[in-house]
Amino acid sequence: MQFNPGWNGSSVNLLHVRAAGPGDSLHYVWSSIGAPAVLLVATQSPSSALRVNWSQLLSPSPAGAIWIDPPDSVVYSTAVVFTKLFEFREAKPSGELFYPTYDLSEFSWDSLNHTLNLTALTAELSGVPATDPGGAFSNGSLAFRVTAYEAGGREERLPSLLHTADSSQLEFILAGVAPRGNGSRFVLEVATVEEEGAVRRLRSQRSIDDEYTPTIFEVLSLLAEPRNGSSTLGFLQWKATAYGSRSPRREDGIQCRAQELQVANGSLPVSSIVQAYFGDSLGSSCTISTLNVSFGGEEGEVYQERRYLSWSVLLGFGEPPRDSFSALVISIAAVALGTPLALLLLGSCLLLLAQRRRYSEYEPIN
């Protein structure tokens, strides 16, 4: 992990996470310059490096300020931008009442350097609106907590996402922010950038196994795939739940829904690192898609009471990790299915034996 590589100041945030393998390397570049975003780049060189032209990056025209050296080592690149936070409530009979939108590119962000932990490989980006006339953020903040991994495993805290060394976890946190209405619900807008030849699609998978995330049987994945192939280039993956506690338990669950993936008609909101890397192709050959993730049930009462919301998502390259049935679940299933089968076989044997004993050496009278 590197904070603002090649820059001595801490007034802006750029966090570079690099994972090196024997024949390749992966780069994650997180930043709050403009809208909070992450740039993901996979290369076929174990020694590829991030280069930043800081004076150009902080200028009104940042195109070309970020690149990977050597440039011909890049095999895949994408970006994810967190653009807006919507708040609304049910207004019967008129439908939904939306409050003024929180544009995340207009937030004021604390320095990542204060929360950077190079041992745990974590950092937290926390911010509030630059102008907050209603005072909703007077005792609260919006944050993105980043975690990188050195090996595969599973997070201890719910939703206990399974991860690999090629992935990173992002936790979206809304803490202490006053809702502007009774039963308010929140929606986070997520935008993705794909270069020509790749597209995004949303996949939902259901399983009978909820061993690691009780009562949650659905996993959603936002996959990047080549137009002419079936392999997966990258992903965002999450469980269909959020939580209303800093130490989440099953009963703290908040309903989480993903709306339909849409191709963005307009231009991408301001995000300097995305413009700095993709340059002019951002508005021509790149495909920009948006996805809205909503939090809260019909009433929105969990956040109203606790003023806390956390949602975890895994980002990475290639196929997303898949949960397999553990030995415990297999044993339970074997007992549950095997016991009735054993009883059926035993009953059949007893019935056949009883039928054979009905006959004797005496002749029937009639």
Side-chain angles (χ1 to χ4, degrees):
M1 274 185 167
Q2 294 175 291
F3 175 67
N4 289 350
W7 178 261
N8 293 326
S10 59
S11 57
V12 295
N13 290 312
L14 190 145
L15 178 68
H16 176 220
V17 181
R18 180 175 175 270
D24 56 7
S25 56
L26 308 175
H27 300 266
Y28 293 83
V29 185
W30 305 84
S31 177
S32 64
I33 304 173
V38 55
L39 177 67
L40 297 88
V41 184
T43 74
Q44 57 186 1
S45 167
S47 59
S48 62
L50 175 73
R51 305 299 185 199
V52 181
N53 183 329
W54 281 97
S55 59
Q56 187 177 351
L57 178 62
L58 300 177
S59 73
S61 302
I66 292 179
W67 70 98
I68 297 295
D69 191 23
D72 58 359
S73 67
V74 175
V75 292
Y76 173 64
S77 55
T78 184
V80 181
V81 187
F82 302 92
T83 53
K84 297 175 183 176
L85 181 69
F86 302 99
E87 181 183 352
F88 70 96
R89 67 176 176 86
E90 297 293 335
K92 297 179 181 179
S94 58
E96 297 171 343
L97 172 64
F98 278 83
Y99 297 96
T101 303
Y102 293 117
D103 188 338
L104 301 190
S105 66
E106 298 177 356
F107 269 46
S108 174
W109 302 96
D110 295 338
S111 175
L112 268 173
N113 202 30
H114 299 152
T115 60
L116 186 61
N117 187 327
L118 297 178
T119 302
L121 298 178
T122 60
E124 184 171 313
L125 182 66
S126 179
V128 297
T131 58
D132 185 22
F137 279 78
S138 57
N139 294 312
S141 65
L142 181 152
F144 295 96
R145 182 179 297 152
V146 178
T147 303
Y149 300 106
E150 291 182 317
R154 186 183 298 278
E155 274 291 320
E156 294 182 2
R157 297 172 68 250
L158 290 175
S160 304
L161 293 177
L162 182 66
H163 63 260
T164 67
D166 296 344
S167 58
S168 294
Q169 180 173 288
L170 179 73
E171 187 178 359
F172 166 70
I173 302 169
L174 201 62
V177 178
R180 290 174 285 185
N182 292 327
S184 280
R185 293 156 65 184
F186 293 93
V187 178
L188 179 65
E189 184 182 71
V190 182
T192 61
V193 179
E194 291 297 330
E195 291 184 300
E196 193 173 11
V199 292
R200 287 274 179 176
R201 73 176 180 91
L202 184 64
R203 181 179 73 188
S204 172
Q205 289 182 308
R206 294 183 177 272
S207 170
I208 62 171
D209 184 7
D210 69 338
E211 178 184 3
Y212 299 105
T213 313
T215 74
I216 305 301
F217 301 95
E218 184 181 14
V219 178
L220 294 110
S221 302
L222 187 57
L223 306 174
E225 298 174 335
R227 294 182 185 273
N228 57 357
S230 57
S231 60
T232 301
L233 301 170
F235 66 88
L236 277 76
Q237 185 186 64
W238 65 95
K239 297 285 185 77
T241 185
Y243 291 95
S245 171
R246 297 179 187 274
S247 302
R249 299 167 297 171
R250 179 181 61 83
E251 54 268 29
D252 300 321
I254 296 176
Q255 191 176 65
C256 171
R257 291 178 178 172
Q259 300 175 10
E260 233 176 279
L261 185 66
Q262 309 249 346
V263 176
N265 294 325
S267 60
L268 190 71
V270 176
S271 177
S272 290
I273 65 164
V274 176
Q275 294 167 338
Y277 182 80
F278 291 100
D280 296 335
S281 65
L282 189 61
S284 56
S285 59
C286 289
T287 301
I288 301 172
S289 305
T290 59
L291 177 75
N292 286 344
V293 182
S294 65
F295 311 101
E298 299 301 323
E299 303 287 330
E301 292 178 352
V302 176
Y303 184 81
Q304 189 81 23
E305 294 173 0
R306 305 185 185 181
R307 302 283 177 92
Y308 190 86
L309 165 70
S310 71
W311 173 64
S312 298
V313 57
L314 195 71
L315 304 92
F317 299 89
E319 280 285 344
R322 292 195 179 188
D323 273 316
S324 58
F325 291 105
S326 66
L328 175 63
V329 173
I330 293 174
S331 301
I332 293 173
V335 172
L337 296 175
T339 302
L341 182 61
L343 291 174
L344 180 62
L345 291 174
L346 180 61
S348 300
C349 292
L350 292 175
L351 184 61
L352 290 174
L353 186 60
Q355 286 179 341
R356 292 188 64 183
R357 288 185 175 180
R358 282 172 46 193
Y359 299 99
S360 69
E361 59 186 6
Y362 294 100
E363 295 290 333
I365 297 176
N366 295 322

